[in-house]
Amino acid sequence: MARIFSGMAPSGFPTLGNYLGATRNWVKLQAQGDCIYCIVDQHAITNFQNPTELREKTRVMAAILLASGIDPEKHILFHQSAVPAHARLAWIFNCVARIGWLNRMTQFKDKAGKDREAVSTGLYVYPNLMAADIHAYHATLVPVGDDQRQHLELANDIAEKFNFDYGVKFFPRIEAMIPAETARIMSLRDGTKKMSKSDPSDQSRINLNDDSDTIALKIRRAKTDPEPLPADPSGLAGRPEATNLVTIYAAMTDQTPAAVLQNLAGAGFGAFKEKLADALIAHIAPIKTETERLLNDPAHIDSILQAGARRAAAIADPIVDEAERIVGFLPRGP
Ligand code: AMP
Ligand code: TRP
């Protein structure tokens, strides 16, 4: 069975973009391999986090994942900081990756903006820690959204250089799994911008904790164009907002966009938005209810994450021990 690894930052309540681009895929993949899912709290502090809020957001993320259908018994769900193997391997990777490689990371450029001198060094080496997350388990399949493609290429470059420098075949190649149809869910206000938690307008996104009325309202207000739905996807060319709504509806109803358009060709956006809102509410309302139930018992969530961390460490520790031996560190000892 393939070993599947992925990570998600504890950013509180995820958006529909996170859900369709990542979470839902994580749930489905449980049928295809042994899955290790990590809430990356160490990545989170590359930007300052209020400590109380970070704890809260980590639990919220765990609850959402459990409510969405992650099975913590058959698979592994844990928080990154609880397994020191990640940081140990990340240090080695800091010494393998080249500054020139990190300078090419577009996410760093986006996140750092103009004031590159003022961001944390952690933000800069963030992709090295991400590579360590994956390679600490010898995982080979990594489900992510499209925006993480470059980081996974870097993870392969790091593994290749490690193997070459030390003359070993220790770290395997990893493969990105990027869901094609829903790889990028766009803002409801601007179809050329990614739907994001950090967008200042709450109207631009659906949050997984939005109640039904809020979802209906946001969809009603979502930007569209005056044309009706076309008969096939070619009629969506140059219509980013229409494309996005069709993509979301297709994902919610488990159809291809082509199948959606076949059924709804000629419909106006007024009627279509009502169907879309109903589909979203039917899908999201049960997840929200279960998440709230789980959050009533934070100690239970913590115990699930801690049990996951123990099982994760049992896999990662021997692999990282071996990586440290390969680079020439003396044994840690018992
Ligand atoms: P982030 O919220 O940026 O930490 O992303 C967490 C996961 O959700 C990553 O795998 C992203 O690629 C994915 N993701 C975030 N926003 C979107 C979006 N608008 N569409 C598709 N996937 C997304
Ligand atoms: N950087 C990823 C994101 O922004 C999260 C992440 C951290 C991750 N470590 C990972 C994803 C390892 C896949 C594998 O979404």
Side-chain angles (χ1 to χ4, degrees):
M1 279 263 251
R3 182 170 287 157
I4 296 168
F5 183 98
S6 197
M8 196 175 294
S11 38
F13 279 93
T15 69
L16 184 67
N18 299 127
Y19 180 69
L20 291 179
T23 316
R24 196 169 77 136
N25 202 28
W26 285 19
V27 173
K28 289 186 178 168
L29 282 169
Q30 296 181 112
Q32 287 180 37
D34 295 321
C35 300
I36 303 172
Y37 293 137
C38 181
I39 303 175
V40 293
D41 50 3
Q42 290 174 312
H43 277 107
I45 65 163
T46 54
N47 286 313
F48 180 81
Q49 302 289 324
N50 172 297
T52 306
E53 283 175 21
L54 180 59
R55 274 183 283 273
E56 182 62 27
K57 286 174 171 179
T58 304
R59 290 193 185 107
V60 167
M61 187 58 76
I64 293 250
L65 290 167
L66 294 166
S68 303
I70 298 298
D71 180 343
E73 305 285 328
K74 291 205 185 89
H75 301 273
I76 296 179
L77 178 68
F78 71 108
H79 51 311
Q80 186 179 32
S81 59
V83 179
H86 295 241
R88 290 164 59 205
L89 187 58
W91 181 257
I92 294 176
F93 286 175
N94 284 342
C95 303
V96 173
R98 305 290 93 182
I99 287 187
W101 300 358
L102 293 178
N103 283 343
R104 285 195 284 276
M105 294 296 115
T106 56
Q107 192 172 71
F108 175 76
K109 290 184 211 171
D110 290 347
K111 285 196 181 172
K114 285 201 183 73
D115 204 0
R116 275 213 215 180
E117 302 283 312
V119 296
S120 74
T121 47
L123 187 67
Y124 190 63
V125 294
Y126 176 116
N128 297 342
L129 176 59
M130 178 166 164
D133 295 339
I134 302 162
H135 289 305
Y137 299 88
H138 279 173
T140 51
L141 292 178
V142 184
V144 283
D146 191 47
D147 58 343
Q148 297 299 311
R149 196 187 292 274
Q150 196 186 30
H151 288 161
L152 295 188
E153 284 164 12
L154 182 90
N156 274 326
D157 291 344
I158 291 173
E160 210 172 282
K161 181 164 165 57
F162 178 97
N163 289 344
F164 179 82
D165 286 353
Y166 293 102
V168 292
K169 284 191 181 133
F170 188 60
F171 291 117
R173 275 196 78 73
I174 59 183
E175 217 180 290
M177 305 175 79
I178 297 173
E181 300 289 357
T182 50
R184 266 168 88 80
I185 299 298
M186 311 311 278
S187 157
L188 299 176
R189 309 259 75 196
D190 176 352
T192 63
K193 263 176 47 191
K194 208 177 89 157
M195 181 180 287
S196 165
K197 273 175 288 233
S198 52
D199 193 302
S201 163
D202 192 58
Q203 296 295 318
S204 71
R205 62 182 161 262
I206 305 284
N207 305 302
L208 282 204
N209 61 335
D210 282 344
D211 60 32
S212 302
D213 290 346
T214 307
I215 293 173
L217 193 66
K218 284 179 176 176
I219 292 298
R220 223 177 298 139
R221 288 190 181 153
K223 190 174 165 199
T224 38
D225 56 44
E227 303 297 317
L229 285 176
D232 65 70
S234 67
L236 289 172
R239 301 171 64 187
E241 286 83 15
T243 304
N244 189 38
L245 296 185
V246 170
T247 304
I248 296 172
Y249 185 73
M252 283 293 132
T253 53
D254 262 317
Q255 310 177 63
T256 61
V260 170
L261 294 177
Q262 230 165 31
N263 289 327
L264 298 175
F269 268 92
F272 175 64
K273 281 176 164 181
E274 252 171 64
K275 284 172 103 59
L276 174 59
D278 288 347
L280 279 166
I281 291 163
H283 208 98
I284 291 175
I287 297 178
K288 175 174 147 68
T289 307
E290 175 63 3
T291 301
E292 282 163 0
R293 191 190 68 80
L294 287 163
L295 285 171
N296 281 329
D297 189 354
H300 179 62
I301 296 176
D302 292 2
S303 74
I304 291 175
L305 293 176
Q306 287 163 8
R310 282 192 292 275
R311 288 165 55 219
I315 301 170
D317 286 352
I319 292 173
V320 175
D321 286 351
E322 179 58 14
E324 290 187 341
R325 192 197 64 75
I326 289 170
V327 306
F329 296 169
L330 287 173
R332 282 198 295 156

